[in-house]
Amino acid sequence: MNSIKPIVLSAFSALVLVGCGAQKQIPSINSVSNAIHIPLNTEKKSALTESELMRWSHLDMVNDTIPGMSVDRAYAELLKDKQGEKVIVGIIDSGVDIDHEDLKPVIWTNEKEIPDNGIDDDKNGYIDDVHGWNFLGDDVLENLEVTRILKKGDDGSETYKLALANYEEKYNKALEGKQQVDFLLSTNKSIQDYLKKDEYSLEDLQNMETTDEVLNRNKRIMTQVIGQAGPKFNAELEEYRKYIYDQLDYNLNKDFDGRKVLGDNPDDIKTTQYGNNVVYGPDKEEALHGTHVSGIVAQIRNNNLGGDGIANNVAIMAIRAVPNGDEYDKDIALAIRYAVDNGAKVINGSFGKSFSTHKQWVFDAIKYAEKKDVLIVHAAGNDGHDVDIEKNINFPNDTEDNKTEFAHNVLTIGALDNKYGEKVIASFSNFGKINVDIYAPGTEIYASVPNNKYKYEQGTSMASPNVAGVAALIRSYYPKLKASQVKQIIMDSGLPLPVTVEVGENQEKKSATDSSKTGKMVNAYNALLLAGKMFKN
């Protein structure tokens, strides 16, 4: 819940486009006179100001020396006198706070449905789906897919063996994490008790004088913690505690069954009428992830609230299908179909898992979206793995053999850090010459969270909606372009990564062209230029 060409910009190959039955060629970005090109030996800013950090994904590599997507520049120079069409963006996620001050004006409304009358007015199978649909009902906590596989028993399959090994690795890591977090909580509590305050600062620690050896050891430990986590270390520690305990109590707990709350059989794709219309779920705070993702795409620009969205003329369709744990293939397949059938032209999927027991259902939904000309933007995952390797696959994807794409409407997005250089690819981001298409900003992204709040979050989950926003811009201002064209435009118009980049947790050095299909990072300015040229052609 978690991207091959030379590094210089080059001519692009022909693409068979959907529609008209004709072969057309995406123009080369080199043929666009005012396209952005990164100067050689570009110097990076050593540190971003707070105002730059809050919107770095909107900034420009040339003007600001920050590897953003040149969104502000695109609005100032390319879109200021243009009027786009409204684009519906489906957000398949943990739920969306549709009452958030910075999102409420851009939430999709199903005009065919009369609110709260208990009738399926538009006869789409979902009663009172005014702003989307909640396929999870009141379900919040769930198993991981590996846990579900083991619960079904050993069937002698290779999948079971792989799941068992994966489960044991995750379980042992979670136990180590529990030991660590319990130690840190105990250490923190001793300092809180000594200082007689729940919230204390680095200065409080520095002024703390005691001859107690244990307290002095704890003082040194918490000094390091604050140095790494910052002044909000208590909240970070609690977030880490919840993550570890949720893993052991729910995600990896074979005795836990979250689905019984919903009462639906996840192994039966024929039963589709379940869930409800409360798109933020039973607890708005649990919709943090989906609300943040939605904000990245579409929070209102230039209103002096929080951050700014990438796209300025969109409607967010909220589809809740991602629990705290692994999503069910059935829910994702039906969520994609719901978004397609209700008019979404872009779908964002900031989720993923290592195993998929009903992947064909999702593959079929992706193909259905392609047939209906809908672009799907998907996060590459946060394991720091090469997803071209079979055991590292991040589902869902657009290939059945991990080599050949079966559809041309899926973009898989890795995450960037905010400093251009060899370390520009975030260490947590998955990578892959075949199965990751391109990279976008994904660390310290500032956006909306429930109850009119804002927060920095990071992950490929944040990189994906940045690109979904760019895709929505293209589809808004150039609505006649097909999903496959928009995908290729985004890939072809990107700016080159450094020749050599570091990838994964071990920071292995690779050629940029071996880190993804393109060796590039998304650039909204160039994408709109290329879309304009393609549209004219």
Side-chain angles (χ1 to χ4, degrees):
M1 240 193 26
N2 311 320
S3 262
I4 299 194
K5 290 190 169 29
I7 204 65
V8 295
L9 292 171
S10 59
F12 309 110
S13 57
L15 170 71
V16 179
L17 302 172
V18 177
C20 301
Q23 289 190 357
K24 296 181 181 179
Q25 188 173 9
I26 299 289
S28 166
I29 196 67
N30 284 340
S31 67
V32 182
S33 59
N34 53 337
I36 296 172
H37 299 271
I38 300 179
L40 294 175
N41 303 316
T42 298
E43 293 292 327
K44 289 76 62 183
K45 288 190 177 181
S46 57
L48 277 65
T49 65
E50 182 64 23
S51 60
E52 287 173 335
L53 186 61
M54 288 178 69
R55 57 181 306 102
W56 75 267
S57 61
H58 297 245
L59 300 182
D60 184 74
M61 189 63 223
V62 176
N63 293 340
D64 306 302
T65 68
I66 294 170
M69 302 188 300
S70 306
V71 177
D72 290 346
R73 185 171 172 181
Y75 276 102
E77 298 179 20
L78 303 179
L79 302 178
K80 60 181 178 180
D81 297 321
K82 293 185 178 180
Q83 185 68 40
E85 293 185 5
K86 182 81 73 176
V87 174
I88 299 172
V89 179
I91 303 293
I92 301 176
D93 216 292
S94 64
V96 178
D97 179 0
I98 58 175
D99 299 315
H100 193 288
E101 60 183 2
D102 220 2
L103 290 177
K104 194 169 184 176
V106 297
I107 298 298
W108 172 74
T109 296
N110 183 357
E111 302 292 348
K112 299 177 182 178
E113 197 74 28
I114 300 172
D116 304 321
N117 67 351
I119 298 172
D120 181 15
D121 299 291
D122 60 1
K123 295 180 172 51
N124 68 350
Y126 302 98
I127 296 171
D128 290 335
D129 58 322
V130 178
H131 300 298
W133 193 250
N134 172 11
F135 284 96
L136 300 177
D138 291 335
D139 186 2
V140 174
L141 297 156
E142 260 298 346
N143 288 149
L144 297 184
E145 193 71 43
V146 289
T147 311
R148 298 176 197 141
I149 291 171
L150 296 190
K151 284 163 65 173
K152 290 180 179 180
D154 188 353
D155 58 1
S157 68
E158 188 64 26
T159 297
Y160 183 89
K161 294 175 185 175
L162 290 171
L164 179 60
N166 186 282
Y167 177 89
E168 290 176 345
E169 180 182 350
K170 281 183 165 62
Y171 192 79
N172 289 332
K173 191 172 182 179
L175 287 177
E176 291 175 8
K178 181 180 183 300
Q179 189 177 33
Q180 181 186 44
V181 77
D182 287 348
F183 172 75
L184 288 174
L185 288 168
S186 175
T187 302
N188 190 38
K189 183 70 164 60
S190 73
I191 301 294
Q192 291 171 325
D193 290 346
Y194 180 83
L195 294 174
K196 295 182 172 55
K197 53 171 68 173
D198 291 336
E199 299 287 339
Y200 59 88
S201 67
L202 183 59
E203 185 179 2
D204 291 329
L205 277 178
Q206 291 168 340
N207 293 332
M208 179 178 153
E209 294 183 4
T210 176
T211 57
D212 188 303
E213 290 184 9
V214 174
L215 274 173
N216 275 317
R217 181 204 65 179
N218 292 349
K219 173 184 173 180
R220 290 193 298 271
I221 292 170
M222 294 312 298
T223 298
Q224 289 181 325
V225 169
I226 295 176
Q228 293 176 357
K232 296 182 179 179
F233 66 95
N234 269 322
E236 295 286 340
L237 186 54
E238 170 55 24
E239 193 171 319
Y240 181 49
R241 184 207 65 79
K242 185 177 185 304
Y243 169 72
I244 292 296
Y245 273 74
D246 281 355
Q247 279 195 312
L248 293 169
D249 293 342
Y250 307 107
N251 304 158
L252 297 166
N253 184 356
K254 298 176 189 175
D255 296 322
F256 176 71
D257 180 10
R259 195 71 171 187
K260 68 181 180 182
V261 175
L262 184 60
D264 170 72
N265 179 5
D267 297 317
D268 182 7
I269 192 66
K270 294 180 181 178
T271 58
T272 61
Q273 319 236 332
Y274 61 94
N276 60 46
N277 68 342
V278 184
V279 292
Y280 44 75
D283 180 359
K284 271 189 181 180
E285 289 295 333
E286 293 292 339
L288 184 148
H289 193 273
T291 304
H292 196 270
V293 165
S294 299
I296 293 170
V297 176
Q299 55 196 353
I300 303 299
R301 291 182 62 83
N302 304 317
N303 65 349
N304 296 317
L305 292 175
D308 285 343
I310 302 297
N312 65 344
N313 199 7
V314 299
I316 294 294
M317 180 190 292
I319 309 171
R320 185 169 180 262
V322 183
N324 179 346
D326 278 347
E327 60 278 359
Y328 284 95
D329 294 322
K330 174 180 177 178
D331 298 341
I332 297 304
L334 293 178
I336 292 172
R337 290 177 180 272
Y338 178 92
V340 172
D341 289 341
N342 287 279
K345 299 307 291 181
V346 178
I347 296 173
N348 186 80
S350 289
F351 53 83
K353 57 185 180 179
S354 303
F355 290 82
S356 179
T357 52
H358 295 295
K359 59 186 177 183
Q360 194 59 52
W361 294 347
V362 183
F363 289 165
D364 289 344
I366 290 171
K367 293 172 185 175
Y368 180 71
E370 180 183 39
K371 182 179 178 183
K372 298 291 185 176
D373 190 34
V374 179
L375 182 71
I376 299 174
V377 187
H378 184 241
N382 302 327
D383 298 308
H385 289 163
D386 183 349
V387 290
D388 292 346
I389 299 172
E390 192 86 20
K391 67 183 181 68
N392 295 335
I393 294 175
N394 182 56
F395 293 101
N397 53 10
D398 56 355
T399 172
E400 298 189 38
D401 60 4
N402 214 35
K403 295 177 182 178
T404 308
E405 293 181 355
F406 60 72
H408 302 288
N409 65 322
V410 179
L411 268 170
T412 302
I413 311 300
L416 294 177
D417 202 347
N418 54 36
K419 294 179 180 63
Y420 189 79
E422 287 192 350
K423 296 181 182 294
V424 69
I425 296 177
S427 61
F428 57 75
S429 178
N430 285 345
F431 57 95
K433 183 174 182 176
I434 299 173
N435 291 300
V436 174
D437 291 315
I438 197 166
Y439 293 91
T443 62
E444 296 184 283
I445 304 299
Y446 191 68
S448 50
V449 294
N451 297 313
N452 296 333
K453 297 175 184 176
Y454 303 84
K455 187 180 180 183
Y456 289 100
E457 291 284 345
Q458 65 181 15
T460 57
S461 284
M462 284 62 248
S464 181
N466 268 314
V467 182
V470 174
L473 273 180
I474 297 170
R475 303 214 82 173
S476 173
Y477 289 92
Y478 301 100
K480 292 186 179 180
L481 295 179
K482 303 297 183 183
S484 59
Q485 292 174 301
V486 175
K487 171 184 176 175
Q488 200 64 33
I489 285 168
I490 289 173
M491 291 171 66
D492 288 353
S493 62
L495 296 182
L497 292 168
V499 175
T500 302
V501 291
E502 295 181 1
V503 294
E505 291 181 338
N506 297 325
Q507 293 295 272
E508 174 190 359
K509 289 195 175 185
K510 276 184 175 287
S511 162
T513 54
D514 287 331
S515 73
S516 68
K517 274 187 181 173
T518 61
K520 296 177 182 178
M521 53 188 187
V522 172
N523 189 270
Y525 186 94
N526 278 1
L528 286 165
L529 283 177
L530 200 54
K533 186 153 190 175
M534 179 65 195
F535 178 73
K536 289 177 182 177
N537 288 350

